[in-house]
Amino acid sequence: MVKFMPYEENYFDLCNSSKYRTVVYGAGAYLKRIFPYLSEHINYICDKQADTIKKYEETDVISPKELENIHEELLIIICVKKEEIRCEIKRELEKLAIDACVFDYFDNIAFDVYKEIQNAGLSDKKEINSIRLICEDNGWILNKFAVKMREKLLERGYDCSIDSVVDPNADINHHMIYATCQPVTSCFHETFMITHIDSSNKLEFLKHQLKRAKLGICMSRETMDKLVVYGIPREKLCYINPAQDGVIKPKKYILGITHKTHEDHRKKENVLIDLCRELNPDYFSFKIMGSGWDDIVNSIRNMGFEVEYYSEFIYEKYIHLIPSLDYYLFWGFDEGSMGYLDALRAGIDTIVTPQGYHLDVKDGITYPCRTLYDFRDVLLSLQNRRKRIVESVDTWTWGNYVDKHLEVWNYVLGNEENIYKNQHMYEDGIFSVLKVNV
């Protein structure tokens, strides 16, 4: 006789009785997820592809018809996600000559609702040695997170692996995304990253997960605060800002000069060397078109500046050069530069002297400069502005990202030594765990 158990009949209440043998029906993706949690209870795995699969881990895989050969009372857990397939399986089981209680993994209190653990954020003190990163993503951003974290954890001497399921023997099981964390019991120390909670269904799923998982780790303070407003317990949340690779070089300002030099130095060309002595070549490069700049170009190249130089005027190149600039430079006082007009036509900002017809163009001069010090101050201001942007993520490295996770994981395991050693250095990580009431 086959009996289909209602939602409120808890599987674990029956499985503790020795007279039952447990069978999981379905050897697909969800078996892989739940097997570490239920392996000690599972006696058989049932699947229509039993002839091909034969064994899962060390457990025999049998066909549905072979269930009739087991002359014991069975607890069958249907572990297939699609509801229509589960209904079909139930119809098939009804036809078999077996004595079984059938549980729907996706519709049973044993696998869905649990009492919340008291003091779930802490446990008995335990050192971290091994870490499992759970990631089902292949080749995209979550996989990158996992690979980078593993790289840094190995550098720090930890045993770290990446797989699509939890490791029962790992000290920490960290899911690269909340969706893969579906703990049946709370026997492992599990944390997970939270992002893209953009529907009520995801929010409810998150609430359920955090009844068993230790912590959900958001990517930002804003998301953490929003989730608290939406009803997630604050003590089950923290945030760790993501990392950047540190390989992208700053975009350089492209400064343009389009005039030739003269023997009487009326264009003050040597000003360029004086300016470059004050500037960082990481933030500026030059495009120069005009004769007579050869020695100056060599000098500033030796200082480390990139220079695209044309020693003669080539109109076809000129009309492409001007729109490629960020700023047009001119420091002469001889009525004006024709390149200034072309730069304005291209919508390019200008750093030029306020004289001649430069003044007659309404809103033409972006930065008016009369002295070398004026030009220097403008360019240093631009340099410092970009430098501040670049340095704003200097500490957002994969190394720091992993170190912050280690601090949080040590806290989860009850290791509170040196917990304040980085106080005032950052606000995320362990400090977002501790500042529950802030």
Side-chain angles (χ1 to χ4, degrees):
M1 177 180 175
V2 175
K3 181 181 180 181
F4 296 102
M5 309 304 287
Y7 169 82
E8 60 272 10
E9 291 288 342
N10 193 307
Y11 159 78
F12 291 110
D13 291 343
L14 287 180
C15 79
N16 291 327
S17 172
S18 60
K19 70 176 183 177
Y20 291 105
R21 307 283 279 176
T22 291
V23 179
V24 172
Y25 195 121
Y30 271 85
L31 172 65
K32 192 174 183 182
R33 288 188 182 180
I34 72 168
F35 190 82
Y37 301 99
L38 297 178
S39 58
E40 65 181 56
H41 300 291
I42 297 172
N43 300 110
Y44 300 97
I45 295 168
C46 181
D47 197 280
K48 289 184 177 180
Q49 304 298 320
D51 290 341
T52 302
I53 303 171
K54 298 188 183 303
K55 275 187 178 293
Y56 184 88
E57 300 290 341
E58 298 299 320
T59 305
D60 291 329
V61 180
I62 61 177
S63 67
K65 189 64 178 174
E66 289 179 283
L67 291 173
E68 295 181 326
N69 299 331
I70 304 174
H71 301 297
E72 297 178 81
E73 293 182 81
L74 303 177
L75 299 180
I76 299 176
I77 304 171
I78 301 175
C79 187
V80 177
K81 187 173 185 181
K82 289 187 177 179
E83 186 175 1
E84 60 268 25
I85 298 178
R86 298 204 304 274
C87 291
E88 181 183 334
I89 291 170
K90 291 175 183 178
R91 288 192 293 269
E92 292 177 352
L93 290 174
E94 280 186 305
K95 299 175 184 178
L96 298 177
I98 58 175
D99 189 2
C101 295
V102 180
F103 295 85
D104 189 329
Y105 175 78
F106 292 94
D107 189 27
N108 185 265
I109 191 173
F111 312 112
D112 189 41
V113 178
Y114 292 86
K115 293 181 180 179
E116 188 168 356
I117 302 171
Q118 298 298 316
N119 300 320
L122 299 173
S123 65
D124 294 335
K125 180 178 177 181
K126 182 179 180 182
E127 296 296 329
I128 298 177
N129 292 304
S130 62
I131 299 159
R132 167 63 61 83
L133 303 176
I134 298 93
C135 182
E136 295 181 354
D137 176 60
N138 292 315
W140 192 226
I141 191 65
L142 294 178
N143 180 255
K144 173 182 176 177
F145 270 72
V147 170
K148 289 290 188 180
M149 289 185 74
R150 180 175 182 270
E151 174 187 320
K152 296 302 179 183
L153 285 165
L154 291 175
E155 286 178 5
R156 285 152 174 75
Y158 295 93
D159 178 15
C160 180
S161 61
I162 301 173
D163 208 326
S164 57
V165 294
V166 297
D167 177 4
N169 298 314
D171 299 315
I172 289 289
N173 281 277
H174 177 66
H175 299 258
M176 303 314 300
I177 190 67
Y178 70 94
T180 65
C181 184
Q182 299 188 18
V184 175
T185 64
S186 61
C187 53
F188 312 135
H189 295 99
E190 293 183 76
T191 60
F192 52 78
M193 181 166 71
I194 300 174
T195 184
H196 292 78
I197 304 299
D198 50 16
S199 70
S200 59
N201 287 339
K202 291 179 181 179
L203 180 64
E204 292 305 313
F205 180 46
L206 195 60
K207 290 178 181 178
H208 158 64
Q209 289 173 305
L210 285 171
K211 292 177 181 178
R212 310 305 293 176
K214 298 297 183 183
L215 275 177
I217 303 175
C218 304
M219 299 178 75
S220 68
R221 178 166 50 190
E222 183 202 28
T223 294
M224 181 185 71
D225 291 343
K226 281 183 178 179
L227 292 177
V228 172
V229 171
Y230 294 153
I232 302 292
R234 174 63 180 86
E235 64 272 15
K236 301 304 288 285
L237 295 174
C238 66
Y239 75 97
I240 298 177
N241 295 134
Q244 49 87 26
D245 294 342
V247 298
I248 305 296
K249 298 299 182 184
K251 182 186 182 301
K252 299 183 179 184
Y253 294 109
I254 302 174
L255 307 179
I257 299 170
T258 60
H259 61 80
K260 65 180 181 179
T261 66
H262 298 270
E263 291 184 1
D264 61 2
H265 304 297
R266 72 185 74 159
K267 301 289 187 180
K268 307 289 191 296
E269 61 274 5
N270 285 321
V271 165
L272 183 56
I273 294 177
D274 295 330
L275 283 174
C276 286
R277 290 194 180 105
E278 304 276 351
L279 303 178
N280 187 334
D282 290 342
Y283 294 97
F284 295 99
S285 67
F286 295 90
K287 291 188 178 183
I288 300 174
M289 180 175 285
S291 62
W293 290 91
D294 302 71
D295 290 342
I296 294 174
V297 166
N298 289 335
S299 294
I300 64 174
R301 279 176 175 165
N302 288 335
M303 295 180 191
F305 291 91
E306 296 176 8
V307 184
E308 183 180 319
Y309 176 46
Y310 302 93
S311 60
E312 59 183 21
F313 184 81
I314 306 170
Y315 186 73
E316 291 74 15
K317 292 186 180 295
Y318 174 80
I319 61 176
H320 294 290
L321 181 150
I322 290 292
S324 71
L325 304 177
D326 292 310
Y327 292 95
Y328 182 82
L329 287 179
F330 185 78
W331 42 73
F333 276 93
D334 56 350
E335 189 73 22
S337 168
M338 293 300 292
Y340 164 77
L341 301 179
D342 293 326
L344 294 179
R345 183 62 181 171
I348 305 302
D349 288 332
T350 62
I351 307 172
V352 300
T353 49
Q355 46 93 36
Y357 51 80
H358 291 180
L359 294 170
D360 294 335
V361 180
K362 183 181 179 181
D363 301 323
I365 302 176
T366 309
Y367 296 103
C369 299
R370 295 183 176 276
T371 67
L372 168 65
Y373 304 107
D374 292 338
F375 283 95
R376 180 200 63 186
D377 291 347
V378 167
L379 294 174
L380 284 176
S381 175
L382 295 173
Q383 175 178 296
N384 291 335
R385 180 195 306 168
R386 182 148 296 172
K387 188 169 181 282
R388 284 194 299 271
I389 296 171
V390 171
E391 292 178 347
S392 67
V393 291
D394 268 0
T395 61
W396 292 42
T397 65
W398 288 110
N400 286 341
Y401 184 72
V402 161
D403 289 341
K404 290 173 183 178
H405 277 79
L406 286 168
E407 288 180 342
V408 168
W409 293 334
N410 271 298
Y411 177 79
V412 163
L413 292 176
N415 306 323
E416 298 188 34
E417 293 89 345
N418 300 318
I419 200 168
Y420 292 105
K421 66 179 181 180
N422 291 318
Q423 193 170 19
H424 307 303
M425 299 300 292
Y426 45 82
E427 295 186 1
D428 59 337
I430 189 62
F431 300 109
S432 68
V433 177
L434 300 176
K435 295 180 181 177
V436 171
N437 297 317
V438 174

